Amino acid sequence: MKFATDEPNVFNYSDIFFSCYTDNERGCWGMVEDHTLVYVRSGEIVLEEGNTTVKIRKGECVFLRKDNRVSLTKQPGRDEKFIGISLVFKRDFLRKFYQVIDKKKLPLQTRKHARSVISLPQTPAIASLFQSMMPYFDSSTKPTERIIDMKLQEGVYALLEIDEQFYPNLFDFTDPWKIDVLDFMEKNYAYNLTIQDMAHYTGRSVATFKRDFKKVSNLSPQKWLMEKRLNVAQDKLLHEHRKVSEVYLEVGFKNISHFSTAYKKKFGHSPSSITV
């Protein structure tokens, strides 16, 4: 997710993001690109995903699953400023973490969370994790990379203690969850590939490709591609102010008519209405 860069008192230490401000409210929206843990120290956050709204209040924490679009509004309290901390779990970090896990204890039959915005219980592990990070934001001392890595690890352990369903959410890049199919599609969504092509290029039969894809997504490969292309197109139109005539080709549509129809069906308005 892309956060506003003009906020006062904003720090980004590697994959730990801290924001603090005193205005009435600030909002942002877009794609959650990596799994993210968001904690509200003071004030509150209102998250909207489709028709679902989740409010995260002071002392509460929420998990945002990667590859999903959310609207996020940060609001100060009545007599206090907004303070929030986010931990971003990138793929490379999670791969390294996975290497040291005792594979014999993996809950292999557990399916990942269907929701992409998950409110977390107020556990001692979550509370102590974020409380321990505040001194770095209250002073000019920058945490070392080793400290940051330790805090990220602590965040993962806190999630795994809450619910076993976080295992397939966080470690979905290898057996038994085989996210490699999504890796391929993330990099090649704009190309005109058939199911047979996708299966071939990922080293699978069509049946195995479909079965593996079903483990990591609630959508069919075709619907996933459509969602991905439309979401990327919307970002380009809104944030990059690109022309519709350029965007539809870049995201993998063959003709502008099909793109416009699909876009309006998903977002409720034509893509051309954005650039008018």
Side-chain angles (χ1 to χ4, degrees):
M1 171 173 286
K2 306 302 183 182
F3 291 89
T5 57
D6 59 345
E7 296 178 348
N9 298 325
V10 176
F11 307 97
N12 188 352
Y13 295 143
S14 293
D15 297 323
I16 297 178
F17 182 94
F18 170 88
S19 62
C20 170
Y21 66 87
T22 57
D23 294 322
N24 291 330
E25 68 178 37
R26 287 177 183 264
C28 62
W29 66 273
M31 202 74 174
V32 180
E33 298 174 355
D34 298 287
H35 297 306
T36 304
L37 199 57
V38 182
Y39 176 80
V40 177
R41 167 86 175 193
S42 60
E44 65 181 21
I45 290 177
V46 178
L47 286 157
E48 296 181 42
E49 183 196 23
N51 297 323
T52 302
T53 299
V54 178
K55 183 173 290 188
I56 310 302
R57 297 178 174 85
K58 180 179 180 178
E60 296 180 341
C61 192
V62 65
F63 176 80
L64 305 180
R65 189 157 54 87
K66 69 176 183 178
D67 298 330
N68 286 283
R69 299 177 61 82
V70 298
S71 169
L72 184 152
T73 302
K74 294 171 280 185
Q75 304 171 333
R78 179 175 299 178
D79 299 313
E80 59 185 6
K81 57 191 173 184
F82 171 85
I83 298 177
I85 306 176
S86 301
L87 270 64
V88 179
F89 304 113
K90 292 185 177 177
R91 190 175 183 79
D92 288 344
F93 165 79
L94 291 173
R95 278 186 180 277
K96 292 177 182 178
F97 190 100
Y98 183 80
Q99 298 301 317
V100 301
I101 289 179
D102 184 353
K103 307 301 189 296
K104 295 180 181 179
K105 296 182 179 180
L106 285 176
L108 304 186
Q109 304 305 315
T110 301
R111 295 184 66 84
K112 65 171 57 179
H113 286 282
R115 293 168 293 144
S116 56
V117 176
I118 304 168
S119 297
L120 302 176
Q122 298 185 46
T123 66
I126 291 291
S128 62
L129 165 64
F130 288 100
Q131 184 64 37
S132 69
M133 287 189 284
M134 285 307 300
Y136 291 102
F137 301 112
D138 291 336
S139 70
S140 58
T141 303
K142 180 179 179 180
T144 64
E145 289 298 322
R146 180 176 295 182
I147 292 295
I148 290 173
D149 188 72
M150 289 174 58
K151 294 304 175 185
L152 291 171
Q153 290 187 47
E154 191 177 342
V156 172
Y157 281 122
L159 286 170
L160 297 181
E161 288 181 1
I162 290 173
D163 191 339
E164 286 188 345
Q165 283 187 285
F166 283 113
Y167 276 93
N169 269 300
L170 294 168
F171 310 120
D172 57 358
F173 38 74
T174 184
D175 285 335
W177 299 292
K178 293 183 179 177
I179 198 66
D180 288 343
V181 294
L182 286 187
D183 270 347
F184 174 82
M185 293 175 71
E186 284 283 354
K187 296 175 181 177
N188 298 279
Y189 69 88
Y191 295 103
N192 184 25
L193 299 176
T194 64
I195 291 293
Q196 288 77 12
D197 292 331
M198 290 183 277
H200 172 74
Y201 288 126
T202 58
R204 292 167 167 82
S205 67
V206 171
T208 301
F209 178 85
K210 289 181 177 179
R211 183 175 67 248
D212 287 351
F213 194 87
K214 189 174 182 179
K215 293 178 182 178
V216 297
S217 176
N218 295 322
L219 302 175
S220 68
Q222 296 93 335
K223 289 184 177 179
W224 185 95
L225 283 172
M226 178 65 74
E227 289 288 305
K228 176 68 176 180
R229 290 169 176 172
L230 291 172
N231 288 335
V232 172
Q234 186 184 55
D235 281 339
K236 287 179 178 290
L237 292 171
L238 285 174
H239 297 152
E240 299 178 20
H241 306 293
R242 302 287 300 282
K243 296 180 179 179
V244 175
S245 58
E246 298 172 342
V247 168
Y248 86 92
L249 291 171
E250 292 180 7
V251 299
F253 284 87
K254 292 183 178 181
N255 63 75
I256 195 169
S257 176
H258 180 210
F259 169 67
S260 297
T261 300
Y263 191 98
K264 185 173 183 180
K265 182 178 180 181
K266 177 174 175 58
F267 298 114
H269 57 83
S270 66
S272 59
S273 65
I274 296 177
T275 57
V276 172

